[in-house]
Amino acid sequence: MSAGTGKPSVVVVFNQKGGIGKTTTSVNLAVCLAALGKNVILIDLDAQSNASTSVGLSAPAATGAYQLLRGDVDVEHACRPTPYPNLRLVAGSDDLSWADVEIAVKPDPQYVLERALATTPSDVDVVVIDCPPAFGILSVNASVAADVVILPVVPSPMALDGLHKAWWNIQRVRTHFNRDLDTMGILFTMTEDSELMHRLEEAIAASFGARVLPVMIPRDMQVIEAAARDLPLVVLDPSTPAAVAYRRLAEVALARLIDRGGKPVSGDGVEERLHEWRKPRPHSTEPGALPSVHESPPMEPGPAPAQSWDDELSATVDDIPLVTGLGWKIGVAVLLVALGAVLGYAFGRWMYFVQ
């Protein structure tokens, strides 16, 4: 809960550069907060809906973030249960691609999400919002509603440039629309033990100081495996290095960003809880029963590709006869061009003297 307000803390994960672990961070942070005993809602504002599939959504949602933004439903009716206790989902959908246009014509369009979140049930502690990788009207709405903004960044030159732009845009929102937004953290993702990365990390830390969170998410191939199997990384393998880092991030986020001044949260038993959440459970139609964990099969090599048009072309290229006898034609063409240039010059000089 936000200090002294009784409303849930809204944590926005945003960067306008894609491919830096934004959705992975949103999903695993939300799951870890739920494992720490917080009642969490994950809102997927990205039309790609990868956050939704990562927490068990196997079919397009009839009601989700788009309907919430339109005002068709409140937060409680936009939510759906996930296989993980304490975690509910407001799913993304393809309709969010049109939301920018529809929201833009509403009165005070930058406050649409904030007004919608006013209907959040009172038992919710934290709302985690996964933003699209662009600073459009959806990301502006999320920033206006935010209490905390986390900016994932890969320590690389191009990502560093994107971080500065994202930071500048968030500061503009804070100046004009959300004066209460004073908590922002920069999270290093996909880190490696290399001299270049260390130099970039030091440069970012020198620029942003205490805004840099004391957690680094290492590059981990299990992240790809988790995405392929539609599971949060911390559920697929809670002991992998990146999963351990995300569990640490949840503890740091609670202590430094969300429950500042509150009681310290113990991470004891979280790994065992996450292991337990992956186990299959019998399907139940009882009201309030959690859905089963939906896990896609592991990736396997596919069949060898069939012969393509390019292969057929390369196989027959030697059969194309060479065109010969062009040498004299090219020579004649060059002579004609040169003759034209000489005649043009002579005609020009003649006209000059005649005048």
Side-chain angles (χ1 to χ4, degrees), residues 188-207:
F188 289 132
T189 60
M190 305 184 197
T191 60
E192 296 177 352
D193 188 15
S194 69
E195 182 181 352
L196 175 59
M197 276 208 168
H198 291 324
R199 289 207 308 267
L200 290 166
E201 290 162 6
E202 291 170 1
I204 294 172
S207 298

Side-chain angles (χ1 to χ4, degrees), residues 42-46 49 51-53 57 59-67 78-80 88-93 96:
L42 173 63
I43 299 180
D44 188 356
L45 290 185
D46 193 341
S49 307
S52 301
T53 56
L57 183 69
T63 304
Y66 176 72
Q67 288 73 21
C79 285
R80 61 179 53 230
R88 286 171 279 179
L89 170 70
V90 177
S93 65
L96 288 169

Side-chain angles (χ1 to χ4, degrees), residues 24-322:
T24 301
T25 297
S26 302
V27 169
N28 288 281
L29 174 61
V31 173
C32 288
L33 289 173
L36 286 167
K38 298 295 181 181
N39 287 321
V40 182
I41 291 177
L42 173 63
I43 299 180
D44 188 356
L45 290 185
D46 193 341
Q48 298 179 73
S49 307
N50 295 134
S52 301
T53 56
S54 293
V55 292
L57 183 69
S58 57
T63 304
Y66 176 72
Q67 288 73 21
L68 178 66
L69 292 167
R70 280 173 51 93
D72 297 338
V73 294
D74 58 15
V75 173
E76 184 172 7
H77 291 91
C79 285
R80 61 179 53 230
T82 72
Y84 314 111
N86 305 330
L87 177 62
R88 286 171 279 179
L89 170 70
V90 177
S93 65
D94 293 341
D95 294 327
L96 288 169
S97 302
W98 295 95
D100 281 3
V101 177
E102 296 190 29
I103 292 175
V105 300
K106 290 179 176 285
D108 295 324
Q110 68 274 17
Y111 295 111
V112 167
L113 181 58
E114 185 177 47
R115 292 194 293 264
L117 291 179
T119 66
T120 304
S122 58
D123 65 333
V124 177
D125 299 309
V126 183
V127 175
V128 177
I129 301 177
D130 181 40
C131 291
F135 202 67
I137 192 68
L138 293 179
S139 296
V140 169
N141 265 265
S143 304
V144 169
D147 299 303
V148 177
V149 174
I150 295 177
L151 295 116
V153 59
V154 178
S156 69
M158 288 184 288
L160 178 57
D161 181 59
L163 172 63
H164 282 284
K165 292 177 180 177
W167 185 271
W168 183 72
N169 283 326
I170 294 294
Q171 291 290 355
R172 290 182 67 188
V173 168
R174 180 176 179 271
T175 300
H176 295 288
F177 306 120
N178 188 0
R179 293 281 184 170
D180 295 329
L181 177 57
D182 62 350
T183 307
M184 290 173 275
I186 294 170
L187 175 68
F188 289 132
T189 60
M190 305 184 197
T191 60
E192 296 177 352
D193 188 15
S194 69
E195 182 181 352
L196 175 59
M197 276 208 168
H198 291 324
R199 289 207 308 267
L200 290 166
E201 290 162 6
E202 291 170 1
I204 294 172
S207 298
F208 294 96
R211 301 286 193 185
V212 178
L213 296 173
V215 181
M216 293 186 184
I217 312 298
R219 190 178 295 277
D220 192 334
M221 292 304 295
Q222 284 291 86
V223 173
I224 300 174
E225 180 73 14
R229 300 182 75 163
D230 294 327
L231 286 174
L233 172 66
V234 294
V235 173
L236 175 70
D237 187 354
S239 61
T240 194
V244 172
Y246 275 122
R247 284 158 42 202
R248 173 63 181 154
L249 172 64
E251 297 172 14
V252 169
L254 280 175
R256 289 184 48 171
L257 305 178
I258 299 172
D259 288 342
R260 289 179 295 173
K263 295 180 180 180
V265 176
S266 172
D268 294 343
V270 169
E271 183 173 349
E272 292 76 13
R273 200 169 298 129
L274 292 168
H275 275 297
E276 190 70 25
W277 286 359
R278 190 183 176 188
K279 293 180 180 178
R281 64 174 67 96
H283 178 72
S284 174
T285 57
E286 293 294 324
L290 297 177
S292 301
V293 175
H294 172 74
E295 182 175 340
S296 299
M299 292 185 296
E300 296 181 356
Q307 188 179 33
S308 67
W309 182 84
D310 289 336
D311 296 330
E312 295 174 1
L313 179 63
S314 62
T316 58
V317 68
D318 293 335
D319 299 334
I320 301 176
L322 295 176

